[in-house]
Amino acid sequence: NPSLLGILQHPDGTVLKQLQPPPRGPREQEFYNKVYDSDCCDGILLELREYLPKYFGVWSPPTAPNDIYLKLEDVTRKFNKPCIMDVKIGQKSYDPYASAEKIQQQVSKYPLMEEIGFLVLGMRVYHMSSDSYETQNQHYGRSLTKETVKDGISKFFHSGYCLRKDVVAASIQKVEKILEWFEGQTQLNFYASSLLFVYEGLCQATTMQLSDVTLAEKRGVPKGLLSGGDVLEYNNNIHVINSTENGKIEASVSKGLSKFYALHKKAYSKRHHSQLSLKVENSEQDNVWKSNSCITQEHLNGNVLPQLEKVFYHMPAETKESANVEVRMIDFAHVFPSNTKDEGYIYGLKNLITVLQNILDN
């Protein structure tokens, strides 16, 4: 997955993305420079910043001044167990200046791009049940068809216990904001660019209201609170570039590290899942469930789990606090000036929203 190649994590909370060979690398650098120009007073570009990683200019290792890296915000940094999905958007993944050979190569990689308008390039999902990550590479996304793309994407929102509808709902809202931006601008067209989705895989207690209290009563589920245990300790065991004491950066950027995948952070220092307690409290108010959105199977007896699952699956999304989700545009090696709306990108966003909405409504 080219969008993840050459990504290095820096201790200062940024990532370093190695500039691609010309013309792609310089084009991406020029795009970031234009959007983040301190003199920029174009409202459209200023709004666009909200949907990108923050940009901190370029960096080169002292020992290899010709190796240029873009210094970007690490969007995954604030998450304990970041679940990450990279989705290429648009009907064409080749730009208007592509050779016939390049067009052929891109179309043959995923012939459904025109019809579906997006392609899952990769995902990495944390499963609370096993305290481990499941990773899918670009072959996974290319295997998806119009019929299977909904289930293929819903895998990203599944914790191992349940579908995180709160995350799906929050994702839709974020993508809709990006769609609004595209509907209002005619100066840039984006090809082979991606959306990066990130959410917290370690479910924090989310307060959810049952729309129909009787739903729970009919199924014999105790009223009251379902509380999840303590937060697992975490640590990202990753390659970073070492800073020396005086703040200079050690040039430990090797060719091996430049192939480092940002998605493949390994988490260690596991702790056992704490016991899950079911407390029954009769309350006159609306029946509120505190849940981890996810339940530790081995701690639930008999047939309680299927009943609870049915209830969770029918939670109305709008009653949940909005989940902690980031959706950012990334990969700008094929961005071109334009004087028309980016219809291909808009088509892809609309279809992605439709698929996400179908996951939510199901």
Side-chain angles (χ1 to χ4, degrees), residues 158 161-163 165 308-315 362:
H158 211 284
Y161 291 123
C162 60
L163 183 68
K165 289 200 167 188
L308 283 175
E309 269 186 345
K310 282 178 198 154
V311 174
F312 287 126
Y313 271 102
H314 291 90
M315 289 289 180
N362 214 26

Side-chain angles (χ1 to χ4, degrees), residues 78-95:
K78 66 178 178 182
F79 298 95
N80 286 331
K81 301 286 187 186
C83 298
I84 305 167
M85 177 170 66
D86 182 338
V87 184
K88 188 192 280 192
I89 307 288
Q91 289 179 284
K92 296 180 168 71
S93 55
Y94 53 88
D95 67 46

Side-chain angles (χ1 to χ4, degrees), residues 44-264:
I44 288 195
L45 296 183
L46 292 174
E47 191 197 333
L48 178 58
R49 291 178 186 179
E50 293 174 39
Y51 312 123
L52 309 185
K54 291 190 182 73
Y55 172 62
F56 304 100
V58 293
W59 177 85
S60 296
T63 52
N66 296 329
D67 286 357
I68 299 171
Y69 291 80
L70 299 169
K71 204 161 161 36
L72 301 165
E73 170 189 10
D74 179 359
V75 182
T76 69
R77 185 177 171 86
K78 66 178 178 182
F79 298 95
N80 286 331
K81 301 286 187 186
C83 298
I84 305 167
M85 177 170 66
D86 182 338
V87 184
K88 188 192 280 192
I89 307 288
Q91 289 179 284
K92 296 180 168 71
S93 55
Y94 53 88
D95 67 46
Y97 304 95
S99 64
E101 189 186 8
K102 177 72 176 174
I103 292 171
Q104 175 55 41
Q105 178 218 10
Q106 285 298 319
V107 171
S108 65
K109 270 190 182 174
Y110 194 58
L112 295 171
M113 198 76 186
E114 191 87 33
E115 186 187 8
I116 294 178
F118 62 83
L119 165 63
V120 176
L121 291 179
M123 68 171 74
R124 179 173 175 275
V125 188
Y126 176 71
H127 285 171
M128 285 189 76
S129 42
S130 55
D131 188 23
S132 63
Y133 283 100
E134 182 186 350
T135 304
Q136 302 292 347
N137 65 17
Q138 55 191 339
H139 300 292
Y140 174 78
R142 286 198 222 134
S143 73
L144 300 177
T145 64
K146 210 173 175 198
E147 290 69 43
T148 60
V149 71
K150 172 174 162 270
D151 288 341
I153 283 200
S154 70
K155 190 189 263 284
F156 175 63
F157 300 102
H158 211 284
S159 70
Y161 291 123
C162 60
L163 183 68
R164 292 287 305 276
K165 289 200 167 188
D166 55 329
V167 177
V168 183
S171 298
I172 292 169
Q173 289 180 339
K174 302 254 176 180
V175 178
E176 281 175 341
K177 290 285 292 174
I178 293 171
L179 175 59
E180 277 175 36
W181 182 85
F182 271 90
E183 293 281 17
Q185 71 90 21
T186 55
Q187 55 176 292
L188 292 169
N189 280 7
F190 294 73
Y191 301 90
S193 184
S194 286
L195 288 183
L196 188 71
F197 291 76
V198 191
Y199 73 90
E200 179 56 71
L202 196 63
C203 312
Q204 302 300 8
T206 310
T207 302
M208 301 189 246
Q209 261 169 325
L210 286 176
S211 52
D212 179 4
V213 177
T214 56
L215 181 73
E217 286 168 342
K218 276 180 199 146
R219 299 199 161 118
V221 181
K223 275 189 172 183
L225 298 173
L226 180 69
S227 63
D230 58 0
V231 175
L232 295 170
E233 286 176 15
Y234 73 98
N235 215 320
N236 286 334
N237 177 18
I238 50 175
H239 296 286
V240 292
I241 294 174
N242 299 316
S243 306
T244 53
E245 282 154 24
N246 62 6
K248 285 213 182 88
I249 289 151
E250 292 271 66
S252 60
V253 188
S254 66
K255 276 285 172 265
L257 266 186
S258 73
K259 290 277 186 282
F260 173 68
Y261 279 71
L263 285 193
H264 295 201

